[in-house]
Amino acid sequence: MKNNVSIGLLGLGVVGSGVIRLIEDHQEELVHQLGCGVDVKGVLVRNLEKTRDVQVDRSYLTTDPNDVLHNPEIDVIVEVMGGIDEARKYILEAFATRKHVVTANKDLIALHGQELQEAASRNQCDLFYEASVAGGIPILRGLVDGLVSDRIQQVMGIVNGTTNYILTKMNEEGVTYEDALKEAQELGFAEADPTADVEGLDAARKMAILSRLAFSTDVELEDVEVKGIANLELADLQYGKQLGYTMKLIGYSNFHNQHVEVSVQPTFLSNQHPLAAVKNEYNAVYVNGEAVGETMFYGAGAGSLPTATAIMSDVVAVITNMRLGVNGRRFVSPRFKKELTPPEERFGQFYIRMHVKDEVGAFAAISHVFNQMDISFERILQIPRSKTELAEVILITHRTALATFQESMNKLYTLDVVASVESSFRVEGDGKK
Amino acid sequence: MKNNVSIGLLGLGVVGSGVIRLIEDHQEELVHQLGCGVDVKGVLVRNLEKTRDVQVDRSYLTTDPNDVLHNPEIDVIVEVMGGIDEARKYILEAFATRKHVVTANKDLIALHGQELQEAASRNQCDLFYEASVAGGIPILRGLVDGLVSDRIQQVMGIVNGTTNYILTKMNEEGVTYEDALKEAQELGFAEADPTADVEGLDAARKMAILSRLAFSTDVELEDVEVKGIANLELADLQYGKQLGYTMKLIGYSNFHNQHVEVSVQPTFLSNQHPLAAVKNEYNAVYVNGEAVGETMFYGAGAGSLPTATAIMSDVVAVITNMRLGVNGRRFVSPRFKKELTPPEERFGQFYIRMHVKDEVGAFAAISHVFNQMDISFERILQIPRSKTELAEVILITHRTALATFQESMNKLYTLDVVASVESSFRVEGDGKK
């Protein structure tokens, strides 16, 4: 039996406490699988006096990062403090002292992943970050393992639990965005300032990380087109539902002809698509590979113990590598230089809702615009609106290029019969089982 | 750049051809990730003259297993011939000559997994079998990785594509079992002799393998209780649907108080359960861990390329281990001696359909039986049957012990008002999101 391997924690919030709890509860399993125990020998905190809901030896708590980063007994640093600049500095320092790093910090990895990975390799250290995307779902390892003998063509993800909870409430209970957000905040599924979640930024960070690994290309955060859910109207969700679609905040990325396209936007998913059944605060990542076909990974996207589980699977991988003497040797640089897909090569189906003058020839004029652009329709819905002279018209197009769709929209605006275009969304999953 | 690693194939059917195709198509990715190429230097076939739909150098084809098993250039054996006795013999011989083995053979692993794994470890060889369960879904690695810092409490799987296809047709299109089977056979989703699939044996093998890994206990094939779908009546599926449940062939296993319970049986799943949305020939495995909570892995359960993808992920793992010099060192023996759960500790909800005399006090008599046994109901449905004096009564119980439920059933049979109990099924997924 070897000596214990000791880890140092940077941060002791919800996730850090979960890590300590798992290490305590699973000592026996860890010894059985690794041949050695795991303990915690240093924890960086902001406040030494705060009451914690896990038992930690007070002598291991410190407010000085050097006590953890330069403790020679510690082999693995677990970074769960969050934020960018300090976390980056500490992680680079950990590599310099030959410590391995496990982090749950998606903001940091989305922004500086490549730099940190290279620093890790240079020092023969491991840098793992499974917990940074979709909490308890082991999606990053799945992508990297699958990549070698397959070509991933498309990744679609519901990677933000807050927005999925809000959209589920709106869709199933017909409550407004504001009420659903309020309920999510009361239940702890949304933060007091929900901006990063509802504006799609959190999902964008995760999609940057996923796309990087899936397509072996250096996608950056700013390459992700982002649209949030804060302006969604209940009416659109209800029309979509009537037509067989569920509104989800979908992270979409694909790789075709060496071109990569990454976006996060409210999307109507066909109810036939497996992601359409992912409800409440759950996350799921759907991957389409040339050989393997459709796969989907589903689970909790956040929470103390699910996230801590992902961190522990990384810690176990680090320790296994330590025992085999092979740390820092599994990282492979991206194969492809990134090139973004131009709008004329970006294909999709689209939903449009507009207000149209209720008069003879109105629909013919609209059809003519789409006809000219060679766009045909999957679904059409027209509803008279009481109290106005306008009808509500909803169209779902067949697959077409984004550029072509945008041009048609511009032409629609010039039509006399079109009073307003109320909304438009991407549509996915038709024709899939 | 290192020399190529050479593999030898035992068998060149649908899956073997897929492996050859992936190796050819992904040489560049393999070199990029492994630092060396992969080639095929020997293929055991039954018939040298048969026309193949993949290109293989004729000089590598052989009908003599020794040409593959004793070829010193070959490091990794990929067994895709199927069957038990011969495959077992060849694999043991491969270990004796220090070759690593990757197999897709669920029958063999379900029956002799433990013996083969021990032979592999003794010879410092790897034995991997990701492709043996749920084709392209990387579920086995996910279970083993997740096990170290979590306790898996329950595994539920749709692990047979043929039966899931048949049940989807019956449920969604209202066709009979016989017609659905015929359609599945025409489309190649069911074999000419569908016995192993429709009787649940194929699923039982996979559940034995999954349970062994999930609970680290030596579950054997004969520990799995099996009931197939061949006698299902459309009426039950339709009543279930009316009540919010979908009929699926579910592999169910759980581990509680050191007791393990494994079964394969037609089960009504609440439509709220993520497995209920898994349609057609797709497979999915739902895992409930104490820390990670609910997770689900979804994908193609069979097919040439999805299965070949799983095999190649194992081949890549073997080669990575070879390059690091750590083969045969990751296998850990089961932690727990198997003890099966007795019926009084097996809990579930149950669906019963019976024919009841349409007279005053009939339902009171039935209720009284369940009352005595302390079983209450989730749902009750009573329908008069035209042309007879009997009513159809469907009950779904709340959670209760299997032993208690069975005792109530025995009492029901003694009641004058109960003309017949037509069917009963397990019910899962109520109260889950």
Side-chain angles (χ1 to χ4, degrees), chain A residues 2-304:
Chain A
K2 292 225 180 175
N3 289 336
N4 277 2
V5 169
S6 298
I7 72 172
L9 279 173
L10 306 178
L12 188 56
V14 175
V15 176
S17 305
V19 170
I20 288 188
R21 185 161 302 144
L22 288 187
I23 290 178
E24 275 172 10
D25 282 4
H26 294 272
Q27 208 50 231
E28 211 181 307
E29 288 90 338
L30 289 163
V31 170
H32 183 79
Q33 179 128 344
L34 294 170
C36 67
V38 177
D39 55 31
V40 176
K41 281 269 173 68
V43 184
L44 177 66
V45 294
R46 283 214 199 97
N47 177 355
L48 291 174
E49 308 307 326
K50 192 174 162 187
T51 326
R52 316 270 171 190
D53 57 353
V54 284
Q55 291 278 336
V56 196
D57 191 328
R58 277 293 296 266
S59 70
Y60 291 142
L61 297 186
T62 176
T63 54
D64 179 358
N66 290 321
D67 290 345
V68 180
L69 296 170
H70 294 278
N71 180 339
E73 288 188 88
I74 290 175
D75 287 308
V76 187
I77 298 293
V78 173
E79 186 273 303
V80 283
M81 53 190 277
I84 305 283
D85 294 335
E86 258 188 335
R88 172 172 163 274
K89 197 180 113 199
Y90 296 162
I91 289 177
L92 289 171
E93 215 165 310
F95 293 143
T97 59
R98 284 288 174 89
K99 297 189 196 312
H100 312 290
V101 174
V102 172
T103 174
N105 194 329
K106 59 187 166 292
D107 309 26
L108 180 64
I109 295 296
L111 280 176
H112 300 293
Q114 190 68 16
E115 176 202 11
L116 294 173
Q117 194 75 72
E118 279 161 12
S121 292
R122 255 198 322 277
N123 292 285
Q124 282 161 18
C125 288
D126 286 331
L127 168 65
F128 293 147
Y129 44 90
E130 185 65 70
S132 68
V133 178
I137 310 174
I139 178 68
L140 300 189
R141 252 188 213 111
L143 281 181
V144 171
D145 283 353
L147 199 62
V148 193
S149 57
D150 199 356
R151 281 179 203 105
I152 297 173
Q153 300 170 315
Q154 192 191 57
V155 176
M156 278 169 67
I158 294 176
V159 289
N160 180 276
T162 306
T163 48
N164 202 44
Y165 184 86
I166 292 171
L167 292 176
T168 302
K169 289 291 141 183
M170 289 175 73
N171 190 55
E172 298 198 342
E173 296 168 20
V175 300
T176 61
Y177 168 76
E178 288 74 19
D179 289 345
L181 172 60
K182 216 174 128 200
E183 190 184 329
Q185 285 171 321
E186 281 162 10
L187 290 168
F189 292 140
E191 294 181 48
D193 175 3
T195 314
D197 291 318
V198 302
E199 295 298 342
L201 304 176
D202 175 81
R205 290 177 191 127
K206 292 163 179 168
M207 289 308 296
I209 298 172
L210 283 171
S211 308
R212 219 176 265 168
L213 293 174
F215 309 128
S216 194
T217 184
D218 51 340
V219 172
E220 310 268 358
L221 184 52
E222 68 250 31
D223 300 326
V224 186
E225 281 195 17
V226 187
K227 197 172 142 196
I229 65 164
N231 299 316
L232 286 187
E233 284 179 58
L234 201 50
D236 284 308
L237 271 76
Q238 285 167 340
Y239 288 131
K241 194 172 178 176
Q242 203 175 328
L243 295 169
Y245 299 86
T246 303
M247 174 66 81
K248 294 285 181 191
L249 183 67
I250 294 292
Y252 176 93
S253 75
N254 86 20
F255 191 66
H256 187 64
N257 288 338
Q258 308 285 49
H259 287 159
V260 66
E261 166 190 358
V262 193
S263 67
V264 169
Q265 58 187 302
T267 302
F268 276 119
L269 274 186
S270 158
N271 288 338
Q272 295 303 309
H273 195 282
L275 283 174
V278 176
K279 292 181 186 175
N280 296 310
E281 75 280 16
Y282 280 92
N283 280 203
V285 180
Y286 167 92
V287 178
N288 205 318
E290 197 179 282
V292 81
E294 299 180 58
T295 58
M296 188 177 81
F297 301 79
Y298 167 100
S304 169

Side-chain angles (χ1 to χ4, degrees), chain B residues 91-102:
Chain B
I91 288 177
L92 289 171
E93 215 165 312
F95 292 143
T97 60
R98 285 288 174 88
K99 297 190 196 310
H100 312 290
V101 174
V102 172

